[in-house]
Amino acid sequence: MDTAPGRDTRWLTPEEQRVWRAYLHAVTLLEDHLDRQLQRDADMPHVYYGLLVQLGEAPERRLRMTELAKQAKITRSRLSHAVSRLEKNGWVRREECPDDKRGQFAVLTDAGYEVLRRTAPGHVEAVRQAVFDRLSPEQQKSLGEIMQIVAEGLQPKEAGADLPWLR
Amino acid sequence: MDTAPGRDTRWLTPEEQRVWRAYLHAVTLLEDHLDRQLQRDADMPHVYYGLLVQLGEAPERRLRMTELAKQAKITRSRLSHAVSRLEKNGWVRREECPDDKRGQFAVLTDAGYEVLRRTAPGHVEAVRQAVFDRLSPEQQKSLGEIMQIVAEGLQPKEAGADLPWLR
DNA sequence: GCGCTGTTGTTTAACCTTCAAGGAGATGCC
DNA sequence: GGCATCTCCTTGAAGGTTAAACAACAGCGC
């Protein structure tokens, strides 16, 4: 990977520093804001809410643990803890996988769906107020492209994704 | 604050959803990446590293706790815990404030400065590889503007900041 | 079948963050 | 001065996250 930082570090220029600081500030403020909003209205952190959303969109409102972890960009360990908590709340239920006895499904319960239905509007509104209402259409487009690029760069590559002849 | 979500929620359009998902993915992947990088190379999470940076840039490498918390966008409580931890590592030291006996200074020690000097290049390189190397100059500029706007919208306003005649 | 390797999901303990509460000193007002 | 109130910072408990180790199983070659 040749990352060994030698004598010649490519420091950030003043302009790059401004961009980076702005990014850090925006991201931490926004995550804080949304976390508080959801903690107040739905009694759970943002990440947990995201899990319910993913399940709500999945066929039959169920996903294998690993698949859910992948979609939510969290570790399986973290997901395991999270689901345990959501299970206690009655929002999610675990089910065994008939095909693979190691496997577990996380299933969104009716109560979980109800919570989602009740709290989604407030959450969307919060996102709108904090982000979309403040950006021009061009900026929104730009933001999407930029984030897409950054995410792709960090995504653990699919096997053979860049070696199509191996598939 | 008329946020009461009535029957008429302004849902995100499909395009807005794509932008928002891309944002969430990028941000969580990036934060994870940097956290791991720093945990490995500097034995501390990203936020703690940020504290050392702020102190390193401050005059005399010292800041009042509240000021540091404000700059780092974290709560005083969190900062208090964090400084305790950094103090155990010998990277930061607390000092009393002569002017205000309630006050405390957080001071970057020589050892702390040394850690910073040693690990900064690797961190900058990680940020570069994940972000700046992948974006065009226009995109970098755009990112800065967008994040600036979002951050300002969430920033707790300074007293009278939008009422200049009151200052 | 048997063993090998990799996957799936959980667990433990250490660590970090949050929230609510509180001590101690400053500030202002009478 | 006396009192209320505010600010600065800390604390402890509850809860969330992480890394590492683990048990159970699947897939595969033999």
Side-chain angles (χ1 to χ4, degrees):
Chain A
M1 175 74 97
D2 185 20
T3 304
R7 287 284 113 249
D8 49 349
T9 301
R10 298 185 298 152
W11 296 108
L12 297 186
T13 66
E15 185 46 32
E16 287 170 332
Q17 283 198 35
R18 270 192 291 280
V19 173
W20 184 237
R21 298 264 161 118
Y23 170 83
L24 290 180
H25 287 175
V27 162
T28 65
L29 288 171
L30 183 51
E31 187 55 21
D32 261 40
H33 182 65
L34 296 181
D35 254 338
R36 261 184 250 291
Q37 185 262 321
L38 282 169
Q39 195 69 56
R40 178 165 51 75
D41 297 350
D43 191 37
M44 63 184 138
H46 190 194
V47 182
Y48 288 28
Y49 177 87
L51 296 176
L52 297 194
V53 171
Q54 300 278 6
L55 288 177
E57 289 174 347
E60 298 187 65
R61 292 183 193 160
R62 76 182 51 215
L63 282 173
R64 286 286 295 270
M65 294 292 280
T66 294
E67 185 56 27
L68 180 51
K70 212 169 290 175
Q71 290 189 19
K73 264 76 190 167
I74 64 177
T75 63
R76 290 190 306 266
S77 168
R78 186 174 176 181
L79 177 61
S80 192
H81 287 291
V83 167
S84 299
R85 198 274 215 185
L86 291 171
E87 220 173 1
K88 268 181 209 151
N89 283 296
W91 312 149
V92 169
R93 153 172 43 92
R94 278 186 234 245
E95 267 181 32
E96 304 200 343
C97 175
D99 307 347
D100 186 338
K101 293 198 177 170
R102 297 167 303 180
Q104 292 273 103
F105 280 104
V107 187
L108 186 65
T109 64
D110 289 347
Y113 186 76
E114 187 50 33
V115 171
L116 212 46
R117 203 188 55 66
R118 183 169 59 69
T119 58
H123 179 61
V124 171
E125 187 59 29
V127 171
R128 244 187 208 305
Q129 286 186 8
V131 181
F132 291 100
D133 283 357
R134 300 180 184 279
L135 301 179
S136 71
E138 292 75 28
Q139 288 175 320
Q140 296 182 17
K141 181 157 173 287
S142 195
L143 178 61
E145 292 167 358
I146 291 168
M147 291 303 159
Q148 184 72 35
I149 293 172
V150 172
E152 272 166 12
L154 293 166
Q155 200 80 243
K157 293 210 186 9
E158 288 296 320
D162 50 351
L163 303 173
W165 57 88
L166 280 185
R167 304 215 226 194
Chain B
M1 176 72 93
D2 190 19
T3 304
R7 285 286 111 250
D8 50 347
T9 302
R10 298 185 298 151
W11 296 107
L12 297 187
T13 67
E15 185 47 32
E16 286 171 332
Q17 283 197 35
R18 271 192 289 280
V19 173
W20 184 237
R21 297 264 161 116
Y23 170 83
L24 289 179
H25 286 175
V27 160
T28 64
L29 287 171
L30 183 51
E31 187 55 22
D32 262 38
H33 183 64
L34 296 181
D35 255 338
R36 263 184 252 290
Q37 184 263 321
L38 282 169
Q39 196 70 54
R40 179 165 50 74
D41 298 349
D43 191 38
M44 63 185 139
H46 190 194
V47 182
Y48 288 28
Y49 177 87
L51 296 176
L52 297 194
V53 171
Q54 300 277 7
L55 288 177
E57 289 174 347
E60 299 186 65
R61 292 182 193 160
R62 78 183 49 217
L63 281 173
R64 287 285 296 267
M65 295 291 279
T66 295
E67 184 56 26
L68 180 50
K70 212 169 289 177
Q71 290 189 18
K73 263 78 189 166
I74 63 176
T75 62
R76 282 180 307 234
S77 169
R78 186 175 177 181
L79 177 61
S80 193
H81 287 294
V83 167
S84 299
R85 197 275 215 184
L86 292 171
E87 219 173 2
K88 269 182 207 151
N89 283 297
W91 298 336
V92 168
R93 155 173 39 94
R94 278 185 233 244
E95 267 181 33
E96 303 201 342
C97 175
D99 308 347
D100 187 337
K101 293 197 177 170
R102 296 166 304 179
Q104 292 274 103
F105 280 103
V107 188
L108 187 65
T109 64
D110 289 348
Y113 186 76
E114 187 50 33
V115 171
L116 213 45
R117 204 188 54 66
R118 183 171 60 70
T119 58
H123 179 62
V124 171
E125 187 60 28
V127 171
R128 242 185 209 306
Q129 286 187 9
V131 181
F132 291 99
D133 283 357
R134 299 180 184 278
L135 301 179
S136 70
E138 292 74 29
Q139 287 175 321
Q140 297 182 15
K141 181 157 173 287
S142 196
L143 178 61
E145 292 167 359
I146 291 168
M147 290 303 159
Q148 184 72 36
I149 292 172
V150 172
E152 272 167 10
L154 293 166
Q155 200 81 244
K157 294 215 184 9
E158 289 296 322
D162 51 350
L163 304 173
W165 56 88
L166 281 186
R167 304 214 227 193

